[in-house]
mmCIF file of all heavy atoms in Angstrom:
data_model
loop_
_atom_site.group_PDB
_atom_site.id
_atom_site.type_symbol
_atom_site.label_atom_id
_atom_site.label_comp_id
_atom_site.label_asym_id
_atom_site.label_seq_id
_atom_site.Cartn_x
_atom_site.Cartn_y
_atom_site.Cartn_z
ATOM 1 N N ALA A 43 12.472 92.457 46.270
ATOM 2 C CA ALA A 43 12.134 92.485 47.703
ATOM 3 C C ALA A 43 12.548 93.810 48.333
ATOM 4 O O ALA A 43 11.898 94.309 49.257
ATOM 5 C CB ALA A 43 12.804 91.321 48.421
ATOM 6 N N LYS A 44 13.622 94.400 47.792
ATOM 7 C CA LYS A 44 14.106 95.669 48.353
ATOM 8 C C LYS A 44 13.136 96.819 48.074
ATOM 9 O O LYS A 44 13.248 97.886 48.661
ATOM 10 C CB LYS A 44 15.485 95.995 47.785
ATOM 11 C CG LYS A 44 16.569 95.176 48.465
ATOM 12 C CD LYS A 44 17.945 95.532 47.955
ATOM 13 C CE LYS A 44 18.988 94.706 48.669
ATOM 14 N NZ LYS A 44 20.104 94.351 47.795
ATOM 15 N N LEU A 45 12.205 96.616 47.152
ATOM 16 C CA LEU A 45 11.219 97.665 46.880
ATOM 17 C C LEU A 45 10.145 97.714 47.969
ATOM 18 O O LEU A 45 9.353 98.645 48.033
ATOM 19 C CB LEU A 45 10.561 97.439 45.509
ATOM 20 C CG LEU A 45 11.522 97.428 44.317
ATOM 21 C CD1 LEU A 45 10.794 97.058 43.030
ATOM 22 C CD2 LEU A 45 12.188 98.803 44.170
ATOM 23 N N LEU A 46 10.105 96.676 48.796
ATOM 24 C CA LEU A 46 9.140 96.655 49.902
ATOM 25 C C LEU A 46 9.831 97.086 51.191
ATOM 26 O O LEU A 46 11.053 97.152 51.261
ATOM 27 C CB LEU A 46 8.566 95.244 50.081
ATOM 28 C CG LEU A 46 7.818 94.655 48.890
ATOM 29 C CD1 LEU A 46 7.206 93.310 49.269
ATOM 30 C CD2 LEU A 46 6.721 95.595 48.389
ATOM 31 N N GLU A 47 8.994 97.356 52.208
ATOM 32 C CA GLU A 47 9.565 97.672 53.525
ATOM 33 C C GLU A 47 9.723 96.401 54.336
ATOM 34 O O GLU A 47 8.873 95.506 54.259
ATOM 35 C CB GLU A 47 8.626 98.617 54.279
ATOM 36 C CG GLU A 47 8.884 100.054 53.975
ATOM 37 C CD GLU A 47 8.061 100.991 54.859
ATOM 38 O OE1 GLU A 47 7.491 100.550 55.867
ATOM 39 O OE2 GLU A 47 7.993 102.168 54.497
ATOM 40 N N TRP A 48 10.774 96.333 55.104
ATOM 41 C CA TRP A 48 11.010 95.193 55.995
ATOM 42 C C TRP A 48 11.375 95.739 57.361
ATOM 43 O O TRP A 48 12.041 96.770 57.454
ATOM 44 C CB TRP A 48 12.167 94.324 55.458
ATOM 45 C CG TRP A 48 11.859 93.683 54.133
ATOM 46 C CD1 TRP A 48 11.847 94.294 52.914
ATOM 47 C CD2 TRP A 48 11.500 92.318 53.900
ATOM 48 N NE1 TRP A 48 11.505 93.392 51.927
ATOM 49 C CE2 TRP A 48 11.285 92.156 52.516
ATOM 50 C CE3 TRP A 48 11.346 91.195 54.728
ATOM 51 C CZ2 TRP A 48 10.918 90.941 51.938
ATOM 52 C CZ3 TRP A 48 10.988 89.981 54.156
ATOM 53 C CH2 TRP A 48 10.772 89.869 52.774
ATOM 54 N N TYR A 49 10.989 95.041 58.414
ATOM 55 C CA TYR A 49 11.442 95.463 59.744
ATOM 56 C C TYR A 49 12.932 95.163 59.879
ATOM 57 O O TYR A 49 13.680 95.895 60.486
ATOM 58 C CB TYR A 49 10.677 94.725 60.849
ATOM 59 C CG TYR A 49 9.189 94.971 60.819
ATOM 60 C CD1 TYR A 49 8.289 93.926 60.635
ATOM 61 C CD2 TYR A 49 8.681 96.261 60.966
ATOM 62 C CE1 TYR A 49 6.922 94.153 60.610
ATOM 63 C CE2 TYR A 49 7.319 96.503 60.936
ATOM 64 C CZ TYR A 49 6.444 95.437 60.758
ATOM 65 O OH TYR A 49 5.100 95.664 60.720
ATOM 66 N N LYS A 50 13.296 94.016 59.268
ATOM 67 C CA LYS A 50 14.722 93.661 59.260
ATOM 68 C C LYS A 50 15.000 92.950 57.939
ATOM 69 O O LYS A 50 14.229 92.073 57.533
ATOM 70 C CB LYS A 50 14.999 92.714 60.437
ATOM 71 C CG LYS A 50 16.403 92.153 60.474
ATOM 72 C CD LYS A 50 16.567 91.158 61.624
ATOM 73 C CE LYS A 50 17.845 90.371 61.509
ATOM 74 N NZ LYS A 50 17.870 89.372 60.448
ATOM 75 N N PRO A 51 16.063 93.327 57.231
ATOM 76 C CA PRO A 51 16.342 92.676 55.954
ATOM 77 C C PRO A 51 16.728 91.199 56.129
ATOM 78 O O PRO A 51 17.127 90.787 57.221
ATOM 79 C CB PRO A 51 17.496 93.475 55.372
ATOM 80 C CG PRO A 51 17.927 94.427 56.407
ATOM 81 C CD PRO A 51 17.025 94.363 57.582
ATOM 82 N N TRP A 52 16.616 90.444 55.075
ATOM 83 C CA TRP A 52 16.916 89.020 55.097
ATOM 84 C C TRP A 52 18.431 88.783 55.073
ATOM 85 O O TRP A 52 19.185 89.639 54.605
ATOM 86 C CB TRP A 52 16.263 88.327 53.899
ATOM 87 C CG TRP A 52 16.573 89.038 52.611
ATOM 88 C CD1 TRP A 52 17.526 88.741 51.703
ATOM 89 C CD2 TRP A 52 15.909 90.220 52.116
ATOM 90 N NE1 TRP A 52 17.523 89.660 50.678
ATOM 91 C CE2 TRP A 52 16.545 90.570 50.906
ATOM 92 C CE3 TRP A 52 14.857 91.019 52.574
ATOM 93 C CZ2 TRP A 52 16.143 91.681 50.149
ATOM 94 C CZ3 TRP A 52 14.458 92.118 51.818
ATOM 95 C CH2 TRP A 52 15.112 92.432 50.621
ATOM 96 N N ASP A 53 18.821 87.603 55.572
ATOM 97 C CA ASP A 53 20.237 87.235 55.509
ATOM 98 C C ASP A 53 20.518 86.479 54.222
ATOM 99 O O ASP A 53 21.624 86.496 53.700
ATOM 100 C CB ASP A 53 20.602 86.324 56.696
ATOM 101 C CG ASP A 53 20.197 86.955 58.011
ATOM 102 O OD1 ASP A 53 20.462 88.159 58.174
ATOM 103 O OD2 ASP A 53 19.576 86.264 58.855
ATOM 104 N N LYS A 54 19.486 85.770 53.742
ATOM 105 C CA LYS A 54 19.687 84.905 52.583
ATOM 106 C C LYS A 54 18.404 84.953 51.759
ATOM 107 O O LYS A 54 17.302 84.822 52.313
ATOM 108 C CB LYS A 54 19.905 83.484 53.113
ATOM 109 C CG LYS A 54 20.576 82.545 52.175
ATOM 110 C CD LYS A 54 20.950 81.266 52.963
ATOM 111 C CE LYS A 54 21.466 80.126 52.143
ATOM 112 N NZ LYS A 54 21.926 80.241 50.845
ATOM 113 N N VAL A 55 18.537 85.139 50.432
ATOM 114 C CA VAL A 55 17.331 85.222 49.594
ATOM 115 C C VAL A 55 16.636 83.862 49.532
ATOM 116 O O VAL A 55 15.425 83.754 49.732
ATOM 117 C CB VAL A 55 17.679 85.701 48.166
ATOM 118 C CG1 VAL A 55 16.448 85.675 47.265
ATOM 119 C CG2 VAL A 55 18.256 87.108 48.202
ATOM 120 N N LEU A 56 17.413 82.822 49.256
ATOM 121 C CA LEU A 56 16.801 81.502 49.067
ATOM 122 C C LEU A 56 17.597 80.451 49.822
ATOM 123 O O LEU A 56 18.816 80.366 49.679
ATOM 124 C CB LEU A 56 16.782 81.162 47.562
ATOM 125 C CG LEU A 56 16.348 79.754 47.166
ATOM 126 C CD1 LEU A 56 14.905 79.481 47.568
ATOM 127 C CD2 LEU A 56 16.498 79.548 45.651
ATOM 128 N N ASP A 57 16.886 79.652 50.604
ATOM 129 C CA ASP A 57 17.524 78.543 51.304
ATOM 130 C C ASP A 57 17.031 77.249 50.662
ATOM 131 O O ASP A 57 15.837 76.924 50.734
ATOM 132 C CB ASP A 57 17.150 78.607 52.789
ATOM 133 C CG ASP A 57 17.676 77.402 53.568
ATOM 134 O OD1 ASP A 57 18.264 76.497 52.945
ATOM 135 O OD2 ASP A 57 17.480 77.365 54.793
ATOM 136 N N GLU A 58 17.948 76.554 50.005
ATOM 137 C CA GLU A 58 17.580 75.327 49.279
ATOM 138 C C GLU A 58 18.033 74.078 50.023
ATOM 139 O O GLU A 58 18.069 72.997 49.443
ATOM 140 C CB GLU A 58 18.236 75.324 47.895
ATOM 141 C CG GLU A 58 17.823 76.474 47.022
ATOM 142 C CD GLU A 58 18.305 76.300 45.594
ATOM 143 O OE1 GLU A 58 17.586 75.656 44.809
ATOM 144 O OE2 GLU A 58 19.396 76.796 45.273
ATOM 145 N N SER A 59 18.384 74.236 51.295
ATOM 146 C CA SER A 59 19.019 73.115 51.983
ATOM 147 C C SER A 59 18.065 71.961 52.280
ATOM 148 O O SER A 59 18.501 70.859 52.557
ATOM 149 C CB SER A 59 19.674 73.600 53.278
ATOM 150 O OG SER A 59 18.685 74.161 54.113
#
Side-chain angles (χ1 to χ4, degrees):
K44 282 182 179 145
L45 301 174
L46 300 185
E47 273 187 14
W48 296 76
Y49 299 119
K50 174 183 168 288
W52 50 98
D53 307 315
K54 200 169 172 16
V55 175
L56 172 63
D57 175 356
E58 299 190 87
S59 60

